[in-house]
Amino acid sequence: MTTANIYAPLGAVTVLRVVDALISVKNTVVEWNETRETRKALSQLTDAQLEDIGLDRSDIAKL
């Protein structure tokens, strides 16, 4: 095994960390938006419809 196979250049590690950070931010924003859309959709249901799916109004805020 050569040294080149053991160690990655400093620039490559930095780029990998930046890309990982950007992917993490993107995933966090996507998850937040999906939760926001779910809350919005559930808020538009009637109490009877929420009861049919086993929820009440207070459950919406817990999502």
Side-chain angles (χ1 to χ4, degrees):
M1 189 178 281
T2 65
T3 305
N5 292 338
I6 297 173
Y7 302 105
L10 179 60
V13 172
T14 302
V15 169
L16 179 62
R17 288 183 178 160
V18 168
V19 169
D20 284 344
L22 291 173
I23 290 171
S24 178
V25 168
K26 177 208 158 251
N27 289 340
T28 300
V29 170
V30 167
E31 184 178 333
W32 168 82
N33 192 51
E34 288 175 351
T35 303
R36 182 187 64 80
E37 289 177 355
T38 300
R39 285 185 186 137
K40 182 179 177 181
L42 289 173
S43 294
Q44 294 173 352
L45 297 178
T46 65
D47 288 339
Q49 290 170 322
L50 287 171
E51 186 177 333
D52 285 345
I53 59 174
L55 297 174
D56 61 30
R57 295 256 171 238
S58 64
D59 294 329
I60 295 172
K62 296 174 187 174
L63 295 177

